[in-house]
Amino acid sequence: MSLKCDRLITVTGRSRFLRIFVPVGLLLALVGCQADTSQAPEDTVPRARELVDLRSRILGYTAKFRADAPYSPPGKAQRARLAKAVGSLLSGDAQEAERQLAPLGLGLTRLTDTDSGRRYDEIAATGPGESARWGRVYLNADSTVRWNVQVPHPVADRDTEDLGVRLLEQNPGGALVLAGTHRRAGGNGAADVSHREDSAFHTVVVELQKRGVPGVQLHGFTDSSDRPYDAVVSTGAVETASAEVVALADRMDDDGLRVCRAWVARCPLEGRSNVQGRSAERNHAGFVHLELARHARADGGRDTEETAEALAGLVASWNARR
Protein backbone atom coordinates (compact mmCIF):
# COMPACT_ATOMS: atom_id res chain seq x y z
CA MET A 1 0.00 0.00 0.00
CA SER A 2 1.32 3.46 -0.90
CA LEU A 3 2.33 6.17 1.57
CA LYS A 4 -0.63 8.27 0.38
CA CYS A 5 -3.05 5.47 1.25
CA ASP A 6 -1.40 4.96 4.65
CA ARG A 7 -1.94 8.59 5.45
CA LEU A 8 -5.57 8.43 4.36
CA ILE A 9 -6.30 5.45 6.56
CA THR A 10 -4.61 7.10 9.52
CA VAL A 11 -6.80 10.18 9.14
CA THR A 12 -10.03 8.20 8.90
CA GLY A 13 -9.12 6.23 11.99
CA ARG A 14 -8.60 9.39 14.07
CA SER A 15 -11.45 11.58 12.79
CA ARG A 16 -15.07 10.61 13.29
CA PHE A 17 -16.00 13.85 11.50
CA LEU A 18 -14.49 12.68 8.25
CA ARG A 19 -16.09 9.25 8.47
CA ILE A 20 -19.54 10.78 8.91
CA PHE A 21 -19.55 13.64 6.43
CA VAL A 22 -17.46 12.42 3.49
CA PRO A 23 -18.20 8.70 3.16
CA VAL A 24 -18.37 8.70 -0.65
CA GLY A 25 -14.98 10.38 -1.07
CA LEU A 26 -13.38 8.04 1.42
CA LEU A 27 -14.93 5.01 -0.21
CA LEU A 28 -13.60 5.98 -3.63
CA ALA A 29 -10.16 6.72 -2.22
CA LEU A 30 -9.98 3.43 -0.35
CA VAL A 31 -11.09 1.51 -3.43
CA GLY A 32 -8.28 3.24 -5.34
CA CYS A 33 -5.77 2.23 -2.67
CA GLN A 34 -6.96 -1.36 -2.76
CA ALA A 35 -6.67 -1.43 -6.55
CA ASP A 36 -3.07 -0.19 -6.33
CA THR A 37 -2.06 -3.12 -4.14
CA SER A 38 -3.65 -5.70 -6.44
CA GLN A 39 -1.90 -4.55 -9.60
CA ALA A 40 1.17 -6.39 -10.81
CA PRO A 41 4.35 -4.34 -10.26
CA GLU A 42 5.10 -3.55 -13.89
CA ASP A 43 8.58 -2.28 -13.10
CA THR A 44 9.63 -5.84 -12.23
CA VAL A 45 8.79 -7.31 -15.64
CA PRO A 46 10.83 -6.67 -18.82
CA ARG A 47 8.73 -5.41 -21.71
CA ALA A 48 10.19 -7.86 -24.23
CA ARG A 49 9.28 -11.52 -23.80
CA GLU A 50 10.16 -14.63 -25.80
CA LEU A 51 9.58 -18.38 -25.72
CA VAL A 52 12.92 -20.03 -26.54
CA ASP A 53 15.07 -23.12 -26.35
CA LEU A 54 17.50 -21.61 -23.84
CA ARG A 55 20.38 -24.00 -24.54
CA SER A 56 20.20 -23.48 -28.30
CA ARG A 57 19.96 -19.72 -27.87
CA ILE A 58 23.10 -19.49 -25.75
CA LEU A 59 25.23 -22.08 -27.57
CA GLY A 60 24.18 -20.63 -30.92
CA TYR A 61 25.59 -17.30 -29.73
CA THR A 62 28.94 -18.72 -28.59
CA ALA A 63 29.32 -20.93 -31.69
CA LYS A 64 30.15 -17.79 -33.70
CA PHE A 65 33.14 -16.78 -31.56
CA ARG A 66 36.45 -16.46 -33.40
CA ALA A 67 39.96 -15.77 -32.14
CA ASP A 68 40.54 -13.22 -34.90
CA ALA A 69 37.39 -11.20 -34.19
CA PRO A 70 37.64 -7.48 -33.34
CA TYR A 71 36.94 -6.44 -29.79
CA SER A 72 36.78 -3.19 -27.85
CA PRO A 73 35.91 -3.16 -24.15
CA PRO A 74 33.27 -0.78 -22.81
CA GLY A 75 34.51 2.57 -21.52
CA LYS A 76 34.37 3.65 -17.89
CA ALA A 77 31.06 5.51 -18.26
CA GLN A 78 29.55 2.57 -20.13
CA ARG A 79 30.61 0.16 -17.41
CA ALA A 80 29.10 2.43 -14.77
CA ARG A 81 25.81 2.49 -16.67
CA LEU A 82 25.87 -1.30 -17.04
CA ALA A 83 26.53 -1.72 -13.32
CA LYS A 84 23.54 0.50 -12.53
CA ALA A 85 21.35 -1.48 -14.91
CA VAL A 86 22.32 -4.83 -13.38
CA GLY A 87 21.82 -3.42 -9.89
CA SER A 88 18.35 -2.17 -10.84
CA LEU A 89 17.40 -5.55 -12.26
CA LEU A 90 18.63 -7.39 -9.17
CA SER A 91 16.57 -4.96 -7.06
CA GLY A 92 13.44 -5.72 -9.08
CA ASP A 93 13.25 -2.61 -11.25
CA ALA A 94 13.30 -3.95 -14.80
CA GLN A 95 12.14 -0.72 -16.39
CA GLU A 96 15.03 1.26 -14.92
CA ALA A 97 17.38 -1.50 -16.05
CA GLU A 98 16.01 -1.20 -19.59
CA ARG A 99 16.44 2.57 -19.51
CA GLN A 100 20.09 2.23 -18.51
CA LEU A 101 20.83 -0.54 -21.03
CA ALA A 102 19.34 1.07 -24.14
CA PRO A 103 22.14 3.64 -24.78
CA LEU A 104 24.67 0.79 -24.57
CA GLY A 105 23.03 -1.13 -27.38
CA LEU A 106 21.81 -3.71 -24.88
CA GLY A 107 18.31 -4.91 -24.12
CA LEU A 108 16.44 -6.89 -21.50
CA THR A 109 14.19 -9.82 -22.43
CA ARG A 110 12.12 -12.17 -20.27
CA LEU A 111 12.70 -15.66 -21.68
CA THR A 112 10.67 -18.78 -21.01
CA ASP A 113 12.57 -22.00 -21.72
CA THR A 114 10.49 -24.40 -23.81
CA ASP A 115 12.15 -27.42 -22.22
CA SER A 116 11.81 -26.62 -18.51
CA GLY A 117 9.25 -23.84 -18.39
CA ARG A 118 11.64 -21.82 -16.23
CA ARG A 119 11.93 -18.11 -16.84
CA TYR A 120 15.12 -16.08 -17.21
CA ASP A 121 15.93 -12.41 -17.71
CA GLU A 122 18.50 -11.97 -20.46
CA ILE A 123 20.77 -8.98 -20.94
CA ALA A 124 22.08 -9.09 -24.50
CA ALA A 125 22.98 -6.85 -27.42
CA THR A 126 20.12 -5.59 -29.55
CA GLY A 127 22.26 -5.23 -32.68
CA PRO A 128 25.63 -6.04 -34.27
CA GLY A 129 27.63 -3.21 -32.67
CA GLU A 130 30.52 -3.38 -30.20
CA SER A 131 28.23 -4.43 -27.35
CA ALA A 132 27.48 -7.68 -29.19
CA ARG A 133 30.96 -8.83 -28.06
CA TRP A 134 30.59 -7.72 -24.44
CA GLY A 135 28.77 -10.88 -23.43
CA ARG A 136 25.42 -11.88 -22.01
CA VAL A 137 23.78 -12.36 -18.63
CA TYR A 138 20.99 -14.78 -17.73
CA LEU A 139 19.24 -14.35 -14.37
CA ASN A 140 16.69 -16.80 -12.99
CA ALA A 141 13.42 -14.84 -12.93
CA ASP A 142 11.44 -17.33 -10.84
CA SER A 143 13.42 -16.84 -7.63
CA THR A 144 16.00 -14.68 -5.95
CA VAL A 145 19.46 -15.09 -7.49
CA ARG A 146 21.52 -17.00 -4.92
CA TRP A 147 24.55 -18.10 -6.96
CA ASN A 148 26.14 -17.56 -10.34
CA VAL A 149 28.26 -19.50 -12.79
CA GLN A 150 30.85 -17.57 -14.79
CA VAL A 151 32.21 -18.58 -18.20
CA PRO A 152 35.07 -16.20 -19.08
CA HIS A 153 36.55 -18.19 -21.98
CA PRO A 154 33.74 -19.79 -23.98
CA VAL A 155 34.91 -21.77 -27.02
CA ALA A 156 38.58 -21.08 -26.12
CA ASP A 157 38.10 -23.28 -23.03
CA ARG A 158 36.04 -25.74 -25.00
CA ASP A 159 32.73 -26.92 -23.51
CA THR A 160 32.88 -24.66 -20.46
CA GLU A 161 29.97 -22.76 -22.00
CA ASP A 162 28.00 -26.00 -22.31
CA LEU A 163 28.68 -26.91 -18.69
CA GLY A 164 27.68 -23.42 -17.57
CA VAL A 165 24.35 -23.61 -19.40
CA ARG A 166 23.71 -27.04 -17.94
CA LEU A 167 24.31 -25.80 -14.41
CA LEU A 168 21.92 -22.89 -14.95
CA GLU A 169 19.20 -25.04 -16.51
CA GLN A 170 19.23 -27.86 -14.00
CA ASN A 171 19.47 -25.91 -10.75
CA PRO A 172 17.20 -23.16 -9.38
CA GLY A 173 18.24 -19.73 -8.14
CA GLY A 174 21.17 -19.15 -10.49
CA ALA A 175 22.63 -16.72 -12.98
CA LEU A 176 24.99 -17.24 -15.90
CA VAL A 177 27.59 -14.58 -16.73
CA LEU A 178 29.02 -15.24 -20.18
CA ALA A 179 31.90 -13.51 -21.94
CA GLY A 180 31.00 -12.26 -25.40
CA THR A 181 33.96 -13.21 -27.55
CA HIS A 182 36.97 -15.50 -27.85
CA ARG A 183 39.68 -14.81 -25.27
CA ARG A 184 42.20 -14.00 -28.03
CA ALA A 185 39.91 -11.56 -29.84
CA GLY A 186 41.16 -8.00 -30.24
CA GLY A 187 44.80 -8.96 -29.55
CA ASN A 188 47.11 -8.21 -26.60
CA GLY A 189 44.85 -9.96 -24.10
CA ALA A 190 42.10 -7.35 -24.47
CA ALA A 191 39.33 -9.97 -24.31
CA ASP A 192 40.82 -12.17 -21.59
CA VAL A 193 38.14 -11.06 -19.13
CA SER A 194 39.37 -13.15 -16.21
CA HIS A 195 42.43 -10.88 -16.11
CA ARG A 196 40.80 -7.58 -17.09
CA GLU A 197 38.73 -5.24 -14.96
CA ASP A 198 37.62 -3.14 -17.95
CA SER A 199 35.08 -5.67 -19.23
CA ALA A 200 31.31 -6.00 -19.10
CA PHE A 201 31.89 -9.50 -17.70
CA HIS A 202 33.82 -8.18 -14.69
CA THR A 203 31.31 -5.37 -14.16
CA VAL A 204 28.40 -7.82 -13.89
CA VAL A 205 30.26 -10.23 -11.62
CA VAL A 206 31.20 -7.41 -9.23
CA GLU A 207 27.55 -6.28 -8.99
CA LEU A 208 26.60 -9.81 -7.95
CA GLN A 209 29.47 -9.96 -5.47
CA LYS A 210 28.40 -6.67 -3.88
CA ARG A 211 25.13 -8.39 -3.02
CA GLY A 212 26.89 -11.37 -1.51
CA VAL A 213 26.09 -13.74 -4.39
CA PRO A 214 28.77 -16.47 -4.57
CA GLY A 215 30.05 -17.69 -7.91
CA VAL A 216 31.93 -20.52 -9.57
CA GLN A 217 34.13 -19.73 -12.57
CA LEU A 218 34.72 -22.48 -15.12
CA HIS A 219 38.01 -22.96 -16.97
CA GLY A 220 39.55 -25.73 -19.03
CA PHE A 221 43.08 -27.04 -19.56
CA THR A 222 44.79 -29.49 -21.87
CA ASP A 223 46.48 -32.62 -20.57
CA SER A 224 50.21 -32.40 -19.92
CA SER A 225 52.83 -34.09 -17.76
CA ASP A 226 52.82 -31.25 -15.21
CA ARG A 227 49.05 -31.49 -14.77
CA PRO A 228 48.30 -34.98 -13.46
CA TYR A 229 44.81 -33.94 -12.40
CA ASP A 230 41.24 -33.96 -13.70
CA ALA A 231 40.34 -30.83 -11.76
CA VAL A 232 42.02 -28.00 -9.88
CA VAL A 233 39.78 -26.42 -7.26
CA SER A 234 40.80 -23.03 -5.92
CA THR A 235 39.31 -20.02 -4.16
CA GLY A 236 41.32 -17.57 -6.23
CA ALA A 237 43.05 -14.89 -4.19
CA VAL A 238 41.93 -16.47 -0.91
CA GLU A 239 44.11 -19.25 0.53
CA THR A 240 41.39 -20.90 2.59
CA ALA A 241 38.24 -22.74 1.55
CA SER A 242 34.72 -22.73 2.91
CA ALA A 243 32.93 -25.94 3.88
CA GLU A 244 30.97 -25.81 0.59
CA VAL A 245 34.15 -25.67 -1.49
CA VAL A 246 35.80 -28.46 0.49
CA ALA A 247 32.68 -30.55 -0.06
CA LEU A 248 32.85 -29.84 -3.81
CA ALA A 249 36.41 -31.17 -3.99
CA ASP A 250 35.50 -34.19 -1.85
CA ARG A 251 32.53 -35.06 -4.06
CA MET A 252 34.67 -34.91 -7.18
CA ASP A 253 37.34 -37.02 -5.52
CA ASP A 254 34.78 -39.58 -4.34
CA ASP A 255 33.51 -39.86 -7.90
CA GLY A 256 36.96 -40.87 -9.13
CA LEU A 257 38.25 -37.52 -10.35
CA ARG A 258 41.82 -36.59 -9.44
CA VAL A 259 41.54 -33.26 -7.66
CA CYS A 260 44.21 -30.76 -6.65
CA ARG A 261 43.07 -28.56 -3.75
CA ALA A 262 44.86 -25.23 -3.94
CA TRP A 263 44.32 -24.37 -0.26
CA VAL A 264 46.31 -27.40 0.91
CA ALA A 265 48.82 -27.98 -1.92
CA ARG A 266 50.70 -26.24 -4.72
CA CYS A 267 48.61 -26.69 -7.84
CA PRO A 268 48.96 -25.57 -11.43
CA LEU A 269 46.42 -23.01 -12.66
CA GLU A 270 45.34 -21.85 -9.21
CA GLY A 271 43.89 -18.58 -10.51
CA ARG A 272 45.60 -16.38 -7.89
CA SER A 273 45.74 -13.44 -10.31
CA ASN A 274 42.13 -13.83 -11.44
CA VAL A 275 40.53 -10.39 -11.09
CA GLN A 276 37.07 -11.73 -10.24
CA GLY A 277 38.65 -13.75 -7.44
CA ARG A 278 40.34 -10.61 -6.12
CA SER A 279 37.14 -8.60 -6.23
CA ALA A 280 35.31 -11.44 -4.46
CA GLU A 281 37.83 -11.17 -1.63
CA ARG A 282 37.25 -7.40 -1.41
CA ASN A 283 33.48 -7.84 -1.41
CA HIS A 284 33.49 -10.82 0.99
CA ALA A 285 31.69 -12.99 -1.55
CA GLY A 286 32.25 -16.68 -2.19
CA PHE A 287 34.35 -17.54 -5.24
CA VAL A 288 35.45 -20.86 -6.74
CA HIS A 289 37.97 -21.09 -9.57
CA LEU A 290 37.54 -24.48 -11.21
CA GLU A 291 39.97 -25.78 -13.84
CA LEU A 292 38.85 -28.92 -15.65
CA ALA A 293 40.60 -31.38 -17.95
CA ARG A 294 38.96 -31.94 -21.32
CA HIS A 295 37.31 -35.24 -20.36
CA ALA A 296 35.86 -33.68 -17.19
CA ARG A 297 33.94 -31.02 -19.10
CA ALA A 298 33.18 -32.54 -22.53
CA ASP A 299 29.50 -33.13 -23.15
CA GLY A 300 28.41 -36.74 -22.77
CA GLY A 301 31.40 -38.16 -20.89
CA ARG A 302 31.08 -39.99 -17.57
CA ASP A 303 33.58 -37.66 -15.91
CA THR A 304 31.55 -34.70 -17.11
CA GLU A 305 28.48 -36.18 -15.44
CA GLU A 306 30.42 -36.45 -12.20
CA THR A 307 31.57 -32.84 -12.53
CA ALA A 308 28.02 -31.61 -13.17
CA GLU A 309 26.67 -33.51 -10.17
CA ALA A 310 29.41 -32.16 -7.91
CA LEU A 311 28.69 -28.59 -9.08
CA ALA A 312 24.98 -29.15 -8.49
CA GLY A 313 25.83 -30.05 -4.91
CA LEU A 314 27.83 -26.84 -4.55
CA VAL A 315 25.05 -24.55 -5.77
CA ALA A 316 22.49 -26.47 -3.72
CA SER A 317 24.52 -25.62 -0.61
CA TRP A 318 24.59 -21.97 -1.68
CA ASN A 319 20.82 -22.06 -2.23
CA ALA A 320 20.28 -23.51 1.22
CA ARG A 321 22.27 -20.91 3.14
CA ARG A 322 20.58 -17.79 1.71
Side-chain angles (χ1 to χ4, degrees):
M1 187 173 289
S2 69
L3 181 59
K4 182 178 179 181
C5 296
D6 289 341
R7 287 177 177 170
L8 180 60
I9 292 170
T10 301
V11 171
T12 59
R14 290 187 306 195
S15 173
R16 183 175 299 176
F17 179 84
L18 288 175
R19 288 201 304 271
I20 294 173
F21 291 99
V22 285
V24 175
L26 283 173
L27 179 62
L28 291 175
L30 288 171
V31 168
C33 291
Q34 187 174 18
D36 286 345
T37 62
S38 63
Q39 292 175 350
E42 290 300 320
D43 60 344
T44 67
V45 182
R47 293 181 179 91
R49 304 176 193 182
E50 292 185 34
L51 185 66
V52 303
D53 181 328
L54 185 71
R55 170 171 290 268
S56 295
R57 186 182 184 93
I58 297 173
L59 297 183
Y61 171 65
T62 59
K64 301 174 184 177
F65 290 3
R66 298 290 182 269
D68 59 353
Y71 171 78
S72 296
K76 184 176 181 180
Q78 292 172 314
R79 296 196 302 273
R81 181 178 281 273
L82 176 59
K84 187 172 182 179
V86 173
S88 295
L89 184 58
L90 290 170
S91 298
D93 192 344
Q95 290 189 7
E96 175 60 18
E98 289 172 324
R99 191 180 73 82
Q100 294 291 336
L101 290 170
L104 302 175
L106 299 172
L108 178 62
T109 305
R110 172 66 58 85
L111 305 177
T112 300
D113 182 28
T114 53
D115 184 47
S116 66
R118 287 179 177 165
R119 299 180 302 164
Y120 302 88
D121 288 335
E122 174 197 66
I123 296 177
T126 55
E130 288 184 350
S131 58
R133 296 188 177 90
W134 291 350
R136 290 184 177 183
V137 186
Y138 294 86
L139 303 169
N140 190 304
D142 293 324
S143 66
T144 301
V145 173
R146 300 185 179 91
W147 56 270
N148 72 93
V149 55
Q150 304 158 22
V151 183
H153 303 142
V155 178
D157 286 2
R158 187 175 174 184
D159 290 316
T160 53
E161 66 275 14
D162 190 273
L163 187 57
V165 174
R166 177 173 176 171
L167 195 62
L168 178 71
E169 283 186 311
Q170 296 182 356
N171 301 277
L176 168 64
V177 187
L178 184 70
T181 192
H182 195 284
R183 71 182 297 177
R184 293 197 296 274
N188 299 316
D192 186 359
V193 296
S194 64
H195 295 97
R196 303 278 303 218
E197 294 185 344
D198 62 347
S199 68
F201 180 92
H202 183 72
T203 299
V204 174
V205 170
V206 169
E207 284 305 303
L208 290 164
Q209 291 172 347
K210 288 179 178 177
R211 289 159 178 79
V213 180
V216 54
Q217 189 170 114
L218 304 179
H219 293 263
F221 63 86
T222 55
D223 294 337
S224 66
S225 59
D226 64 335
R227 300 170 185 173
Y229 304 104
D230 302 312
V232 178
V233 184
S234 154
T235 48
V238 180
E239 295 186 0
T240 59
S242 66
E244 294 97 335
V245 181
V246 172
L248 167 67
D250 289 346
R251 277 191 294 268
M252 297 180 80
D253 193 58
D254 290 343
D255 289 334
L257 297 173
R258 297 165 297 172
V259 180
C260 188
R261 298 163 173 80
W263 57 93
V264 296
R266 292 294 299 273
C267 302
L269 306 170
E270 293 179 342
R272 299 297 184 197
S273 62
N274 183 287
V275 296
Q276 289 80 48
R278 290 178 175 178
S279 62
E281 182 181 25
R282 292 193 296 269
N283 289 294
H284 307 288
F287 178 80
V288 181
H289 184 277
L290 181 59
E291 289 275 0
L292 295 166
R294 179 78 177 86
H295 57 87
R297 66 183 193 273
D299 188 31
R302 186 188 69 83
D303 288 342
T304 305
E305 294 299 316
E306 306 295 359
T307 299
E309 289 181 12
L311 285 169
L314 172 68
V315 300
S317 65
W318 282 341
N319 270 326
R321 76 178 188 179
R322 291 178 65 82

